[in-house]
Amino acid sequence: MKIVKAIFCCSIFLLQLQVPAFAQAQLQNYDGRYEQKIDSLLAMMTIEEKIGQLVLYTSDIDVTGPTIREGYKEDIKKGNVGAIFNAYGAAYTRMLQKIVMEETRMKIPLLFGYDVIHGHKTIFPIPLGESASWDLAAIEKGARIAAIEASAEGLHWTFAPMVDIARDPRWGRIAEGSGEDTYLTTKIAVARVKGFQGDNLGELNTILACAKHFAGYGAALAGRDYNTVDMSDRVLREVYLPPFKAAVDAGVATFMTSFNEVHGVPASGSQYLLTDILKEAWGFDGFIVTDYTSINEMVPHGVVADNREATALAMQAGVDMDMQGGVYQEYLPALLKSGAVAEQQINDAARRVLRMKYMLGLFDDPYRYSSESREKELVMHADHLAAARDVAKKSIVLLKNENNTLPLKKNIRKLAVIGPLADNQKEIIGSWSAAGDFKKAVTVLEGIKAAVSPATKITYAKGANINDNLTDQIAQAVKTAEQADAVILVLGEEALMSGEASSRSSIDLPGVQQQLAQAVHRTGKPVIVVLMNGRPLTINWLDKNAPAIVETWFLGTQTGHAIADVLFGDYNPSGKLPVTFPQSVGQIPLFYNNKNTGRPRSDQKYTSKYLDISNEPLYPFGFGLSYTTFNYGKVAVSKPSYTMSENIMLELNVTNTGKVAGEEVVQLYIQDLVGSVTRPVKELKGFQKIFLAPGETKKVSFSLSADDLAFYTRDMEFKAEPGFFKVFVGTNSRDVQEAGFELVK
Ligand code: NOJ
């Protein structure tokens, strides 16, 4: 079995891509035991049957794209399709599998894929929210549980994790990733791949993961979904590709292409991305599926004249499976005859798909995942709900807490719960909750009622709709607030204001919600704002006027309980922002690891700044408060200089100086002061989430290798350069202790 193919490419850049010593971790353990079986199978298959393995169609029980191809059951019967998505449920998947097993010549089991993005039936926080936990074990567990539920419902494959870096909060799909930072996204990508796939794809409770969208999708110009991407190769390699590479190293089974172009070529036609980098340089042995109809979309992109040309380009680029486009089925046979595509290419693609079907055990028993009894036993199991609540509370970020407004006492006499999201079930599970049932979600009002003392009087007013101009409910909300001791004001976006095809040009609170907040604020009652949103919002007024703000994203099935856990102090918030919150949409893109420019901002006129606003964010990357306080001691670097082969050791003491126990995410950043190319002012290179009892001090140590300091140099070599570095350790990307060291040859 091949491990890594030699890189054969004239581009000097490609020659310098790091070639892993082994192929993927999980596929690496694979001893090649199925390759002979695949050889025999391929030898028996007609060309149409082979092409069928490269075709993925949607069933009609869900819609996740622009067109529905009619007659997918007919296609299954004819052996024209190897995989189906948007079909789940033990009975339904079994019924479809039966068609293949009973009516096709080769009886090659179908592969069932689905967007299991943040939980299957038990819905976890949206990925951006979950990333705010910085808790890799909890995130891995979330993916594990998603796989357990999905596999019990007949699914073999999820279209997750999305590992796209997103530096523009106007882009709705920022909700589906891990935010703006490459290091954090990389760690979370690995946790999610491990969670979905477990240790053995042959186990009944594991599913294939899919690293998407390869690549650069998050850099859509102006944050408009599907828009053009234009970036340097250096930025592509340094910022956007590392999470994908880490997913390969973690053994991810599949990749999905992105809708956008990279260096002028749509990703589904990019040999550079799919073959040269992914399959050759990184040694990826799984299969590559397109995003929805993205082969066909190369026609309007303008790199091919028609679907036939698009098909040839995609096959040559390295696409193995066509999602919903129907063009592999339609054009590959003729392209093969004409010599535009080689049989070897089709064989290789089919082999990659068949390999996964073998690994899943589908050839032993094609129905093994479609189990009504497992479905009944496991879906929304109490343990899953408990885990969802656990990671949901960890995902909450305390943005402001003046005079310890929070936590509230559980025996507070009168509490008003106000706002369009306060008693809302439908929105709170967030976008891409595909199979999730919002009717099972716990609202904030329900969560609060379940938490307070029996003597507490809870009143509720909606106050406004999420996104219209009607102000007629505000007066009632004000009355409700006037009669209470404190107000919980639950504001934010609709679930589908983020996610796919959900870009916004303004990231203010939608509708009249700020007006509602202002009216309630005028009552003089303490107003605690609970935010729900799939992206950073510009909330300057709230920041100035509300005594307390908690960012809760969309937390999923257990929303209300998790929020109540934090509001009443059963859980001390520990979440940290995985993305910068700007003051104004005009500052976008605003991210912490920017470069310095030749004219860093100062009071001088001719420096890099705006006339009307500072360069600072409203809340920096990594920011999040706690009900306790943490003191950071001096950072000690073990010696002043290191050679390239030595590890740089840092340590410091962190003390809980407050009255309650809490967790802190200790963050490590570096700056390479002088490089052959300009370097960011800060780059996250490590973090640790630690628990401290009141008064407790813990020593936190970090170790950095030369690899952690490496970047693409002026000659596009990936390596560390000797010179001086700063290190910063702190509670967020802005508030840090500083030290330094020298790296010598
Ligand atoms: C299009 C989306 O871009 C992708 O992320 C998703 O997996 C597919 N549709 C399938 O629903």
Side-chain angles (χ1 to χ4, degrees), residues 64 85-86 115 159 173 176 212-213 217 256 259 291-292 323 432 500:
T64 57
F85 70 119
N86 292 337
D115 289 290
F159 304 139
R173 303 201 79 170
E176 297 171 48
K212 73 183 189 187
H213 306 83
Y217 186 32
M256 188 186 292
F259 288 123
D291 203 347
Y292 213 103
M323 181 195 288
W432 284 119
E500 189 178 351

Side-chain angles (χ1 to χ4, degrees), residues 27-46:
L27 301 182
Q28 172 205 344
N29 299 334
Y30 167 57
D31 53 10
R33 78 178 75 170
Y34 301 121
E35 298 310 299
Q36 272 186 1
K37 292 187 176 179
I38 298 172
D39 287 339
S40 333
L41 200 56
L42 286 172
M44 287 189 286
M45 290 165 77
T46 64

Side-chain angles (χ1 to χ4, degrees), residues 2-76:
K2 127 199 151 253
I3 299 291
V4 180
K5 290 188 207 152
I7 305 173
F8 184 71
C9 176
C10 47
S11 155
I12 182 167
F13 293 165
L14 280 172
L15 287 171
Q16 287 154 351
L17 277 171
Q18 292 169 296
V19 181
F22 301 101
Q24 300 168 249
Q26 193 171 67
L27 301 182
Q28 172 205 344
N29 299 334
Y30 167 57
D31 53 10
R33 78 178 75 170
Y34 301 121
E35 298 310 299
Q36 272 186 1
K37 292 187 176 179
I38 298 172
D39 287 339
S40 333
L41 200 56
L42 286 172
M44 287 189 286
M45 290 165 77
T46 64
I47 196 68
E48 285 74 19
E49 284 163 340
K50 289 179 195 170
I51 292 170
Q53 292 306 303
L54 315 184
V55 173
L56 169 66
Y57 287 142
T58 177
S59 93
D60 48 16
I61 65 170
D62 214 340
V63 180
T64 57
T67 56
I68 292 288
R69 196 188 146 85
E70 299 291 330
Y72 67 97
K73 284 188 192 149
E74 272 312 296
D75 283 316
I76 297 176

Side-chain angles (χ1 to χ4, degrees), residues 85 115 162 164 168 238 280 438-439 441 452 455 476 484 526 565 589 713 730 744:
F85 70 119
D115 289 290
M162 182 183 114
D164 296 312
D168 191 329
E238 269 176 27
E280 301 287 356
F438 70 81
K439 294 196 190 91
V452 292
Q476 181 57 38
D565 286 341
T713 64
V744 293

Side-chain angles (χ1 to χ4, degrees), residues 385-564:
L385 293 175
R389 177 170 177 167
D390 180 63
V391 72
K393 70 190 185 195
K394 290 175 172 162
S395 303
I396 294 173
V397 183
L398 181 64
L399 293 176
K400 186 176 175 191
N401 194 21
E402 213 170 64
N403 303 325
N404 297 325
T405 306
L406 287 174
L408 292 171
K409 296 219 163 51
K410 282 189 181 169
N411 60 2
I412 184 167
R413 269 189 337 118
K414 283 190 262 159
L415 188 60
V417 183
I418 295 176
L421 286 152
D423 195 27
N424 182 304
Q425 266 190 313
K426 189 166 156 273
E427 308 299 333
I428 62 180
I429 58 174
S431 66
W432 284 119
S433 345
D437 178 0
F438 70 81
K439 294 196 190 91
K440 304 251 165 67
V442 181
T443 71
V444 179
L445 187 60
E446 284 166 350
I448 289 174
K449 280 185 180 163
V452 292
S453 78
T456 304
K457 187 169 175 233
I458 307 279
T459 50
Y460 162 75
K462 189 171 175 198
N465 298 326
I466 298 175
N467 192 20
D468 66 22
N469 294 326
L470 304 176
T471 51
D472 55 328
Q473 302 178 80
I474 294 182
Q476 181 57 38
V478 168
K479 241 188 236 154
T480 309
E482 275 164 351
Q483 285 154 17
D485 300 324
V487 178
I488 309 284
L489 186 59
V490 192
L491 306 175
E493 297 181 301
E494 288 163 1
L496 294 185
M497 292 177 84
S498 60
E500 189 178 351
S502 299
S503 297
R504 295 181 65 198
S505 68
S506 152
I507 55 169
D508 289 343
L509 274 176
V512 294
Q513 293 186 72
Q514 181 160 321
Q515 225 172 301
L516 169 66
Q518 285 164 337
V520 171
H521 175 68
R522 278 195 293 271
T523 63
K525 303 288 176 171
V527 179
I528 293 130
V529 175
V530 172
L531 286 174
M532 292 187 187
N533 38 271
R535 57 159 61 75
L537 296 177
T538 38
I539 46 164
N540 301 298
W541 187 89
L542 289 179
D543 179 63
K544 217 177 261 151
N545 295 286
I549 306 176
V550 285
E551 173 56 73
T552 73
W553 321 101
F554 292 106
L555 292 176
T557 309
Q558 294 287 290
T559 293
H561 290 319
I563 291 174

